[in-house]
Amino acid sequence: MTNNQENNKSPEEQEKPEQSNPNEASYSIEKETPSSEQPANQSSEQNKEMDQTFNQETNANGGDSPKTTQQTPSTAKEESNVVAQNSETTPPVSSTESNEDEAKKKAAAAAKAKAAAKAKAAVKSTKAEEAEEEPPSYNQPLLNKYVEVIEEHLGEDVIKEAYINRLSKHVPTLVTTPDAYFRVAQFLKYNEQLGFDFLSDYHGTDFETHFELYAHLYSFLNHQSIALKVKLDHEHPSIESLAQLWEGANWPECEAYDLLGIEFRNHPSLHRIFLGEEWRGYPLRKDYQPHDEEV
C-alpha cells in the first residue's frame, strides 16, 4: 500500500524533500550550539587579556612597542661583550702617542731629505768624474801655445787662470790680474805669432762679490779666437781702457760705465750714453735701488 501511495503522488510532491520532525531538529540545534559557542567566548576573552597586557606594556615604555625596547638577557650580554671588545681593540689616543707620531713623521721626513741630498751629491760626483774623464779639447794645444808665449815675454805672474770654455765653442780663455790686463791685451794684438787684431765682443757683469770684464778677440791672420777676462773690485771698480787699442771698445766701455759704474782710465770720452749724467745709481748692479720708483 505504501508503494501505491507514493505512485499516486504528483510529480511536484515527489520532488519536495522529506521534512524531518521539527522537534528533532530543534533538539539537535540546541544540543550543538553550546559546544560551538564556548571556544569562541574563550578566545575573545584571551584576546582582551592580551590587548590589555600590550597596552600596559606600551604605556610603561613611553609608547614604544615592548618588542623593540625590551631585550632578552642573552642579547644584552652579547652587545655588552661587543662594546667591551671594541673598547679593548681601539684604545683612546693620548697626547703622548700623538707626539710620538709627529716625531716619527719628522724623523721620516728628515731621513728622506738626507737620502735626497746624498743622491744629489752622488750625481754631482759622477758628473765630475765624467768631466775628468773627458778627452782634451781640440783647442788645448792653442791654449798651451798662448800661455807659453805670454809668460815668456811678460812673466809667469800675469796670468791667474787659463782654461778651455767648452760651453762657448771650446774657446781658449785667459784670466789676468788687473795690473797686467792692458799689457796682455796689447801683446795679444801686436805679437806677430798671435795677431788678435779684432775685438768682437766686450761687456761687463756684476757677480755681487766682484765685477768681471770679458773681451773676445779674433785673429784674421790665424783664424783663431781667444777670450780675455779680468776681475775687478766691487767697491771701486777701475781698469785701464782698451779703447786705446781697439776703437770698437769705446762704446762698450761707456755702456759699462753708465749701467755698472766701472771706471775706464785713459778713455778718450767716458760718459753716460743711456741715462744721462743726472741719473743716480747704476741699474745693472745687483744692489741697485731706484731713486724714483715711478720711473
Side-chain angles (χ1 to χ4, degrees):
M1 180 170 180
T2 303
N3 293 331
N4 292 330
Q5 291 178 355
E6 292 177 356
N7 293 329
N8 292 329
K9 292 180 179 179
S10 62
E12 294 177 357
E13 291 178 351
Q14 290 179 1
E15 291 177 359
K16 291 181 180 180
E18 294 182 356
Q19 294 180 355
S20 60
N21 191 355
N23 296 327
E24 294 178 0
S26 61
Y27 175 77
S28 63
I29 292 171
E30 292 176 356
K31 188 175 181 181
E32 294 175 356
T33 298
S35 62
S36 60
E37 289 178 354
Q38 186 175 1
N41 293 332
Q42 292 179 356
S43 61
S44 62
E45 291 177 357
Q46 292 178 357
N47 291 334
K48 290 180 180 180
E49 292 178 356
M50 292 177 64
D51 291 339
Q52 291 177 358
T53 304
F54 179 80
N55 291 333
Q56 293 175 358
E57 293 177 352
T58 304
N59 294 330
N61 294 324
D64 295 334
S65 175
K67 292 182 180 180
T68 58
T69 55
Q70 292 181 355
Q71 295 180 350
T72 61
S74 60
T75 305
K77 186 175 181 181
E78 291 176 358
E79 291 183 356
S80 63
N81 292 334
V82 171
V83 172
Q85 291 178 359
N86 291 335
S87 63
E88 291 177 357
T89 55
T90 58
V93 179
S94 62
S95 60
T96 304
E97 292 178 353
S98 62
N99 293 334
E100 291 179 355
D101 293 338
E102 292 180 359
K104 289 180 180 179
K105 290 179 181 179
K106 291 181 180 179
K112 289 182 180 180
K114 187 177 180 180
K118 187 176 181 181
K120 188 175 181 180
V123 171
K124 286 184 178 180
S125 63
T126 302
K127 289 183 179 180
E129 292 176 358
E130 291 177 356
E132 291 178 358
E133 294 176 358
E134 288 182 357
S137 172
Y138 54 85
N139 280 336
Q140 187 65 42
L142 293 176
L143 178 63
N144 297 337
K145 173 187 174 182
Y146 301 152
V147 172
E148 181 181 357
V149 173
I150 292 171
E151 289 181 349
E152 181 181 353
H153 290 81
L154 302 178
E156 297 181 356
D157 57 344
V158 297
I159 297 178
K160 295 179 61 177
E161 186 180 0
Y163 61 93
I164 297 293
N165 189 351
R166 296 177 179 269
L167 299 178
S168 182
K169 299 180 180 180
H170 289 245
V171 60
T173 303
L174 302 176
V175 181
T176 70
T177 62
D179 296 336
Y181 177 67
F182 182 82
R183 289 188 293 132
V184 172
Q186 186 179 30
F187 182 81
L188 291 174
K189 179 179 180 180
Y190 294 114
N191 182 268
E192 296 179 356
Q193 299 182 35
L194 305 178
F196 290 100
D197 51 359
F198 179 66
L199 177 66
S200 60
D201 187 19
Y202 193 26
H203 64 268
T205 307
D206 182 8
F207 287 92
E208 295 186 358
T209 57
H210 64 278
F211 290 100
E212 185 176 272
L213 286 176
Y214 177 93
H216 188 275
L217 307 175
Y218 184 77
S219 172
F220 286 101
L221 175 65
N222 300 317
H223 301 285
Q224 298 171 356
S225 297
I226 192 172
L228 182 64
K229 288 184 177 184
V230 62
K231 295 180 181 180
L232 306 177
D233 180 63
H234 198 272
E235 296 297 329
H236 304 285
S238 178
I239 195 71
E240 193 73 19
S241 173
L242 296 185
Q244 305 170 71
L245 302 175
W246 296 281
E247 292 184 1
N250 190 333
W251 283 90
E253 290 182 349
C254 288
E255 180 183 6
Y257 167 73
D258 189 6
L259 302 178
L260 293 171
I262 300 176
E263 294 281 346
F264 292 91
R265 300 187 299 271
N266 297 320
H267 188 280
S269 177
L270 189 64
H271 63 281
R272 307 191 86 154
I273 59 176
F274 293 112
L275 303 178
E277 297 298 334
E278 70 279 359
W279 189 271
R280 298 182 183 180
Y282 306 98
L284 289 188
R285 287 192 177 188
K286 298 294 180 64
D287 57 355
Y288 174 68
Q289 296 292 335
H291 177 69
D292 189 355
E293 296 182 357
E294 295 181 359
V295 177

